[in-house]
Amino acid sequence: MQTQLADWIRTTPQGEEADAILRRCVHCGFCLATCPTYNLLGDELDSPRGRIYLMKQMLEGAPVTRRTQVHLDRCLTCRACETTCPSGVEYGKLVDIGRALVEEKVARTPGDRLRRWLLARTLPARGPFAAALALGRIAKPFLPSALARRIPARRPAGAWPARRRARRMIVLAGCVQPAIAPSINAAAARVLDRLGVTLMEVPEAGCCGAVQFHLNYQRDGLERAKANIDAWWPHVEAGVEAIVVTASGCGTIVKDYGHLLRGDAAYAAKAARISALAKDVSEVVAAERDALAARWRPADARRSIAFHSPCSLQHGLRINGVVEAILRDAGFDLTPVPDAHLCCGSAGTYSLLEPAISRRLLHDKVRALESGRPELVATANVGCLAQLAAGASLPVVHWIELVDQRMGEARGA
Ligand code: SF4
Ligand code: SF4
């Protein structure tokens, strides 16, 4: 695509990056078929190609209106379009640039500003979120069923293994995950301990920064990234093998720290090192597949599950088939899931900011997941887990919890 970026943006780092991305787009429209919002709403401006066109207009100096903001807000940032695009258009990076610029040019209503500000302040703060969730759980029996379903049940963590292994890795604790499902990181720690690795949370590290970054508090999101780098750095220098992330949504941004902080003289090199060390827990477990295989008893009864691969896992991290292979080895039969590339509607804070679209996506996703009559649903991201649990009639778990359970059953460990 030919571009003529306006003088105010052309020579800036964002302008140069956006220009390079825009020039790759050939307007073929292949991406429309896999875009959830285009599929639902049928409006070209709610498709990747339409949004790219809106951002191009803005970058070329056309007036920006609320209309552009609405269509960018409705984007889930699921990046299904990136997976489909034959020209390698990095839509996710472009929409980050586009949203930041729209935010500067188009004022939001006071109510919208307040809502976004509250989300950006409360979700990444572990204490206030945990307190709000605890109150919600107490009030749950008195709430309307639609609201009560959105409050996740308690998931006790169980015991963390002692730090007894020579091989060491860090795990990101995150922000909402410790309150919603402390069981996930504890299960990962038990699985890796059995495989000879000590997994440690670093208390000073917190939210990965994605919540703030995607709410257009991009500077705050980058500060969070820097705080995590500072917290992890002594452990990196001490030789940890990896920074493990059990929420694929968080893993996507941690693996991107190097890119996001490339212009920061004080943090660029450290951020690149952190990104190189960052691994989704599936990558770490898959690397130990031989050791893992020795733990399974072939005669164990098989259970059927539907695996929901989060957008961040399949389109962001491009990890496909890895979790599924681990689960099959562990004795699970995976039921078919139609339209597995489509988002469940969670998408960070999307389910709170665009509830109508989110509900429709959830409805379709639950129907697809349950169509193969599984006994339960597994996923790889805490946001998807909470979203699916609000709509599914089956239990929803993180896949590492299933592996932990199976290892425990196999050896009584
Ligand atoms: S598939 Fe890629 S090149 Fe084609 S319109 Fe979509 S973003 Fe542009
Ligand atoms: S990121 Fe997802 S919702 Fe946004 S344009 Fe791409 S496919 Fe559509």
Side-chain angles (χ1 to χ4, degrees):
M1 167 193 302
Q2 298 239 319
T3 56
Q4 276 206 311
L5 264 57
D7 291 345
W8 55 268
I9 186 81
R10 188 184 312 129
T11 55
T12 63
Q14 302 100 307
E16 286 171 2
E17 187 179 17
D19 198 36
I21 297 170
L22 284 171
R23 282 171 178 269
R24 297 192 80 122
C25 176
V26 294
H27 277 285
C28 64
F30 284 177
C31 51
L32 271 64
T34 55
C35 174
T37 55
Y38 180 68
N39 284 351
L40 271 187
L41 305 170
D43 182 341
E44 168 86 19
L45 295 180
D46 285 313
S47 78
R49 186 170 63 181
R51 291 179 178 123
I52 288 170
Y53 183 66
L54 288 172
M55 288 187 273
K56 176 176 182 282
Q57 279 187 317
M58 170 178 65
L59 291 161
E60 290 184 336
V64 193
T65 66
R66 174 78 185 128
R67 187 178 75 137
T68 300
Q69 193 173 52
V70 164
H71 292 296
L72 295 192
D73 280 354
R74 282 188 197 149
C75 169
L76 294 140
T77 331
C78 68
R79 295 169 61 183
C81 48
E82 277 189 37
T83 302
T84 317
C85 177
S87 304
V89 172
E90 292 181 288
Y91 173 88
K93 291 191 170 105
L94 182 64
V95 82
D96 281 345
I97 296 168
R99 282 177 170 149
L101 294 172
V102 172
E103 207 69 15
E104 287 171 14
K105 293 174 184 297
V106 181
R108 292 186 181 275
T109 62
D112 198 16
R113 276 209 306 276
L114 178 65
R115 211 158 39 129
R116 298 170 79 88
W117 182 86
L118 281 172
L119 290 172
R121 291 287 158 260
T122 54
L123 292 181
R126 266 187 226 147
F129 179 79
L133 183 59
L135 279 177
R137 282 176 176 150
I138 292 167
K140 196 169 176 176
F142 312 104
L143 296 174
S145 63
L147 185 56
R149 286 184 72 89
R150 299 214 69 92
I151 298 174
R154 274 174 49 77
R155 304 164 75 95
W160 271 72
R163 295 184 176 186
R164 58 182 171 158
R165 307 295 190 188
R167 294 179 63 193
R168 298 208 157 195
M169 298 182 187
I170 291 170
V171 63
L172 172 77
C175 51
V176 300
Q177 185 168 304
I180 294 178
S183 49
I184 296 174
N185 276 4
R190 289 188 290 269
V191 168
L192 290 185
D193 178 70
R194 294 179 189 112
L195 294 171
V197 177
T198 282
L199 194 64
M200 309 173 292
E201 285 186 349
V202 176
E204 296 79 15
C207 175
C208 63
V211 170
Q212 290 166 321
F213 198 83
H214 294 304
L215 280 166
N216 274 319
Y217 289 89
Q218 294 189 359
R219 200 181 299 261
D220 294 342
L222 295 181
E223 289 305 316
R224 279 262 29 106
K226 291 183 198 175
N228 286 343
I229 293 169
D230 288 342
W232 290 332
W233 198 250
H235 299 275
V236 171
E237 290 189 312
V240 292
E241 282 181 42
I243 296 169
V244 181
V245 188
T246 55
S248 55
C250 307
T252 307
I253 195 162
V254 177
K255 286 205 186 198
D256 213 24
Y257 279 1
H259 174 77
L260 295 171
L261 291 168
R262 68 195 182 288
D264 187 311
Y267 280 89
K270 287 182 178 177
R273 176 94 179 105
I274 295 291
S275 290
L277 284 171
K279 300 235 178 317
D280 184 76
V281 63
S282 62
E283 296 175 281
V284 177
V285 173
E288 308 294 329
R289 205 168 161 187
D290 289 346
L292 201 55
R295 314 220 29 137
W296 309 129
R297 287 184 308 206
D300 284 342
R302 299 185 75 85
R303 296 181 72 192
S304 69
I305 61 168
F307 179 63
H308 166 61
S309 180
C311 302
S312 45
L313 190 71
Q314 54 174 316
H315 308 304
L317 297 172
R318 302 277 175 106
I319 295 175
N320 290 296
V322 175
V323 175
E324 292 89 329
I326 295 169
L327 289 172
R328 284 193 189 97
D329 286 353
F332 294 96
D333 290 323
L334 270 62
T335 59
V337 181
D339 293 326
H341 62 282
L342 289 178
C343 181
C344 66
S346 170
T349 53
Y350 194 92
S351 59
L352 302 168
L353 294 169
E354 301 286 345
I357 298 173
S358 172
R359 270 197 303 272
R360 290 172 68 184
L361 289 170
L362 173 62
H363 174 267
D364 292 349
K365 180 57 70 180
V366 166
R367 199 167 50 180
L369 286 166
E370 295 186 348
S371 65
R373 300 187 179 280
E375 292 169 56
L376 49 87
V377 174
T379 188
N381 185 53
V382 67
C384 307
L385 187 150
Q387 169 88 341
L388 294 173
S393 59
L394 300 170
V396 185
V397 297
H398 191 291
W399 67 268
I400 197 74
E401 296 176 281
L402 294 177
V403 173
D404 174 41
Q405 202 182 359
R406 287 298 265 205
M407 289 177 97
E409 286 166 6
R411 293 290 161 108

